[in-house]
Amino acid sequence: MTTRILIVEDERDIADVTAYNLRKSGYDVALASNGRAALEAIAQKTPDLVILDVMLPELSGTEVASRIRSNPSTASLPIIMVTAKGEEVDQLVGLTVGADDYIAKPFSIKILQARIEAVLRRSKGAGPSGKVLSMGPISINTESHEATVDGESLKLTLTEFRLLSSLVAAQGKVLSRNVLMSRAMGPGVTVTERTIDVHITSIRKKLGKYAGLVTTVRGVGYRLVADLSDYLASDETDDVSV
Ligand code: CA
């Protein structure tokens, strides 16, 4: 089946060049030139991946991303955000609203394609099928890609899902940011350690009152505890803020 990509971009030249090259590589490409049109296009025919410009007329890219995430039928739709300046703040905002990756303009088509392939690979998941992992109130189904806390469904991005799965699979063992990076982002994808922190912060927000289960081990990385009292009894501090 052909992979369908929706490009959301108001700058016509960039949209056309990107679409032309992706079509040449065999992707089925759809275009939307503003945020509202993007949501309509997704509602009509859900793509396999969205390339989403941040600065858009009608609705901003970040707003479009959060609407995609808040709709259960598109909650795990892979999103690559495109920023104009490549400032770190743009990256952080993009990841906070649930983008799976980001790329700064101007970008090369080759790099964009590598990012697309990496995100799609992650979305298909290379893990064992149909396995349910759990620790404390958190359960992960690696086949259906569902995560729950205390029976409540968690709306995680792909990267967040893989990070949380890695932590659950480690069963309380500390995982360094480097290990988390390679498990969640796949081999060959380099992100800063700060990016992992941003994803972890987002996971904690979604865990709500269970946020403390994901604990920071200062100078090392993160680990999951089974019970909030384990966390409260420890002297680890949650020193990550965005
Ligand atoms: Ca724009």
Side-chain angles (χ1 to χ4, degrees):
M1 212 177 71
T2 316
T3 302
R4 186 175 172 83
I5 296 180
L6 175 66
I7 300 173
V8 189
E9 173 61 77
D10 58 316
E11 287 171 69
R12 196 59 202 258
D13 291 353
I14 296 177
D16 285 348
V17 170
T18 310
Y20 171 81
N21 283 285
L22 293 182
R23 283 184 182 127
K24 219 169 67 177
S25 300
Y27 292 108
D28 177 11
V29 179
L31 291 167
S33 59
N34 65 60
R36 213 167 286 282
L39 291 174
E40 281 164 17
I42 291 165
Q44 268 175 21
K45 192 175 180 188
T46 309
D48 297 297
L49 181 143
V50 180
I51 297 171
L52 184 59
D53 187 28
V54 172
M55 297 292 288
L56 288 171
E58 305 281 335
L59 283 176
S60 73
T62 49
E63 179 61 29
V64 172
S66 56
R67 293 203 192 181
I68 289 172
R69 288 287 170 258
S70 61
N71 179 342
S73 64
T74 55
S76 60
L77 176 58
I79 299 173
I80 297 178
M81 283 249 178
V82 180
T83 65
K85 285 160 281 167
E87 290 170 355
E88 196 193 18
V89 63
D90 292 337
Q91 178 187 5
L92 295 182
V93 167
L95 294 171
T96 305
V97 298
D100 295 282
D101 200 353
Y102 96 108
I103 189 164
K105 284 182 194 169
F107 53 81
S108 85
I109 290 291
K110 231 176 120 181
I111 287 175
L112 176 65
Q113 288 201 16
R115 299 292 186 86
I116 289 171
E117 280 157 27
V119 168
L120 288 173
R121 222 175 16 245
R122 266 147 54 199
S123 83
K124 284 178 187 121
S129 63
K131 216 172 146 192
V132 176
L133 306 169
S134 64
M135 185 168 181
I138 299 175
S139 279
I140 298 275
N141 185 313
T142 57
E143 187 177 67
S144 62
H145 268 228
E146 280 168 330
T148 58
V149 61
D150 208 10
E152 294 280 317
S153 177
L154 287 168
K155 289 184 187 110
L156 303 175
T157 66
L158 289 167
T159 302
E160 290 164 7
F161 180 83
R162 293 186 76 99
L163 282 173
L164 190 58
S165 303
S166 305
L167 287 166
V168 171
Q171 293 289 301
K173 249 175 54 193
V174 181
L175 298 181
S176 71
R177 288 178 177 79
N178 272 326
V179 166
L180 284 168
M181 227 181 277
S182 63
R183 294 202 184 154
M185 320 294 277
V189 179
T190 316
V191 296
T192 63
E193 297 196 336
R194 180 88 179 108
T195 304
I196 295 294
D197 295 341
V198 172
H199 286 300
I200 292 285
T201 301
S202 177
I203 291 171
R204 283 182 174 140
K205 271 189 202 144
K206 292 175 182 180
L207 285 172
K209 65 173 176 171
Y210 292 105
L213 293 177
V214 180
T215 66
T216 306
V217 181
R218 245 180 294 177
V220 187
Y222 295 98
R223 72 186 186 96
L224 202 63
V225 294
D227 196 289
L228 281 177
S229 59
D230 294 350
Y231 167 66
L232 296 172
S234 75
D235 63 358
E236 292 157 356
T237 50
D238 180 355
D239 58 0
V240 177
S241 60
V242 173

